[in-house]
Amino acid sequence: MSLVQEIRKSHPDDQKLMAAYGIAGLLSLVGAFALAAILVVIKTPALGLAKGDLYYRMLTGHAILGFVYWFAFIQAALLIAGATALRNGGRLWSPKLGWLAFAFTTAGLVINMVGVFSGADVLYTAFPPLAESFAATPLIYLGYLFVATGAFLITLDFLATVFTWVERKGSVEAWKRMLSEIHISTFAAICAVPLIFSIVLAAFFLYVPAFLGSVGWISTDTREFPLNFRLTYHVMFHIIHYIPAMAMIAVAYVLVELTTGADSIYRKTVAKGLFLMYPAVVPPTFVYHLMADPSIAQGIKIIGSALSLLVWIPSLLHMFIITGMVEAKMRSAGHSLFGWMGHLPWKNPAFASLIMGMITFGIAGGLTAVLLQEQTASLLHGTFAVPAYIHPMVVGAASLIYMGIIYYAVSICMKRDIWGSAIARIQPYLLSV
């Protein structure tokens, strides 16, 4: 059975939940783009609108919509797809729990946007005590607690679905069989679960006392609170931006199969093993965000720095595997050493999204990621280098590849063809430029 046929067998109720998450994610992305356009207008000297409060308000909304909610919604949809659409018509363990998670995430978005437009110009970091200068700050913390709850519930639903696949009371042999048979992308989602739970735990550790303190229910007027907040925030933020990288690569494995029919030229356990590196290596490497922080022991900095050299290895090797899959498939069809490139489905927007996303990920995102580590970390953090890294990764790589799978999801989940196919064909190249 082809992968498309397998995906089409997913249950209509699960498809509706995926569609709801996908639509909410796209609306968040549209909102982020709209606020970005306003930022450009504000910063245009000829228009004379360069008011500090308006600029930071729009920047806060742009960052929260683009980095928090676009990813929260679309990655939840991908979790559901990994649990159902890639499981030959398998069902989600609890659709009701999935909808409850969606409600929490949507409520978080609404609460955050009310906070932003009520005057919480705190950026998405919302660091105390600076954030205490804005009366609407509690809504930022509360919204983050809601989205964290939504992420926890949908991940719990995914994990419960995985447990139902294991036969014979969860024996070792049953687990081995299940993990070897599932799609690479579903395995990637399983590997992301401990990272997601780490993010949720850190978020509650951060934002429960921050919210209670901001409304005056507890005292946070200590020297340790803002320092602990900053440290925990960087741990959480570091893990957060590797979830899109894992999800992006997982989607790439699906796209390369859907668009070219290519299969892995290596044993699939190789790709699955590479995904296991992320939960092992990512959490300790938060240190390179805080290389100049005197409160962190030198030994921890050395260990974190050493492990940070390994962070990019699985991503790089995944890109080589995916490229090799395409090349092997085209060469087996009889095309020449380089001539096979001209026979690729370049007019397929999903394939173009995959390739342009990989190029952006490797060149723009990858190079700046390396610069933000090790010796240059303390020099470049807090400078323009950070948004120069985040934008190619968020808009260029992850969002491009996510859009590639959305082109298929629209036709499968919503039972309709893409409107404006000519626009869709140029969209990946235009966005890359």
Side-chain angles (χ1 to χ4, degrees), residues 315-333:
S315 301
L316 182 66
L317 293 179
H318 278 304
M319 294 297 109
F320 275 116
I321 291 173
I322 293 166
T323 305
M325 291 169 64
V326 177
E327 192 265 354
K329 173 68 176 180
M330 300 307 291
R331 291 295 299 281
S332 67

Side-chain angles (χ1 to χ4, degrees), residues 211-223:
F211 171 73
L212 295 177
S214 64
V215 295
W217 291 350
I218 65 171
S219 174
T220 56
D221 189 20
T222 63
R223 179 177 176 272

Side-chain angles (χ1 to χ4, degrees), residues 284-285 287-288 290-291 296-310 374:
T285 56
V287 172
Y288 72 75
L290 297 165
M291 292 296 285
I296 299 176
Q298 193 67 25
I300 295 176
K301 290 181 181 179
I302 292 171
I303 294 171
S305 299
L307 288 174
S308 71
L309 297 174
L310 301 176
E374 302 305 324

Side-chain angles (χ1 to χ4, degrees), residues 33-119:
F33 278 136
L35 294 181
I38 295 174
L39 288 173
V40 173
V41 172
I42 292 172
K43 295 293 279 185
T44 302
L47 299 176
L49 296 175
K51 294 171 60 179
D53 55 348
L54 181 61
Y55 176 79
Y56 284 107
R57 194 162 304 161
M58 296 300 103
L59 185 60
T60 301
H62 165 74
I64 290 176
L65 285 175
F67 193 76
V68 177
Y69 287 98
W70 157 234
F71 280 157
F73 281 118
I74 195 64
Q75 286 164 184
L78 295 175
L79 271 181
I80 299 167
T84 60
L86 299 180
R87 279 287 297 169
N88 196 19
R91 288 299 312 277
L92 192 64
W93 179 71
S94 173
K96 290 182 179 179
L97 187 60
W99 282 108
L100 180 62
F102 177 78
F104 267 100
T105 308
T106 305
L109 184 151
V110 173
I111 292 168
N112 277 157
M113 289 303 101
V114 170
V116 169
F117 290 100
S118 297

Side-chain angles (χ1 to χ4, degrees), residues 127-174:
F127 283 138
L130 293 176
E132 295 171 4
S133 303
F134 303 95
T137 297
L139 295 176
I140 303 299
Y141 296 141
L142 184 61
Y144 284 165
L145 288 171
F146 269 78
V147 69
T149 303
F152 173 75
L153 292 176
I154 195 64
T155 307
L156 194 65
D157 205 1
F158 169 81
L159 204 57
T161 306
V162 170
F163 274 102
T164 63
W165 299 340
V166 184
E167 305 165 354
R168 292 192 297 176
K169 304 294 182 181
S171 67
V172 174
E173 284 301 317

